[in-house]
Amino acid sequence: MDRDAIFVGAGVDAVIAVVAATMALPERVRWPAFAGVLAGGLFGGYLAGRLAAGSWRRRTRHGLLAGVGGGAAFALAVRWSFEPGTPPGALRPANYLLATAAGWLPSGFTARYDALLGVAAALAFGVLYAVEGALAAGAAPGGDADVLAVRE
């Protein structure tokens, strides 16, 4: 295991999550910023895979581990952004999505599981980073260990 690759990938993901949660943005740029933040797991995973090098399996494993670490930070940032008084930044659209999606659920369900819906949404966003990290790391260039030689 290349711990440096995992720490770099997870660190980049965590920085993206923290900045998204703490930086206030004008209303017109929140949705594009939210889309960029959602794709942040790709960046961290790519870095982890690129630094780990080796076979695609090795790169994917490193990207997944980096994505789990960065996804945990992203889940915490999303959950924190649901609290009153947080800056209206790139994660404000997550609040909007949760509020409108909860309107589609039966009112008894949302009343009973109100706090858990926020936790579930935060965990879903965290899992997104883990999946993105694995995919981007596997696709990152990093070695020819799995290339099949063509014989003439």
Side-chain angles (χ1 to χ4, degrees):
M1 282 289 165
D2 186 348
R3 292 180 185 180
D4 290 341
I6 295 168
F7 288 138
V8 166
V12 165
D13 288 347
V15 166
I16 290 170
V18 168
V19 168
T22 58
M23 181 183 288
L25 294 174
E27 188 173 345
R28 68 183 181 282
V29 297
R30 288 184 198 146
W31 281 97
F34 182 61
V37 170
L38 288 180
L42 294 171
F43 188 56
Y46 177 84
L47 288 174
R50 185 79 169 136
L51 292 173
S55 71
W56 69 270
R57 287 180 185 91
R58 175 180 163 79
R59 293 190 313 268
T60 300
R61 191 170 40 250
H62 282 77
L64 178 63
L65 292 173
V68 167
F74 187 45
L76 290 172
V78 168
R79 180 64 186 102
W80 179 76
S81 75
F82 294 153
E83 297 298 320
T86 56
L91 296 182
R92 184 59 56 104
N95 292 333
Y96 176 80
L97 291 174
L98 183 61
T100 56
W104 294 16
L105 298 171
S107 60
F109 181 83
T110 55
R112 184 171 187 170
Y113 299 108
D114 182 35
L116 291 179
L117 290 175
V119 172
L123 289 175
F125 284 124
V127 168
L128 175 70
Y129 263 32
V131 170
E132 286 179 351
L135 291 174
D144 52 18
D146 1 313
V147 176
L148 300 175
V150 178
R151 296 185 182 175
E152 296 181 32

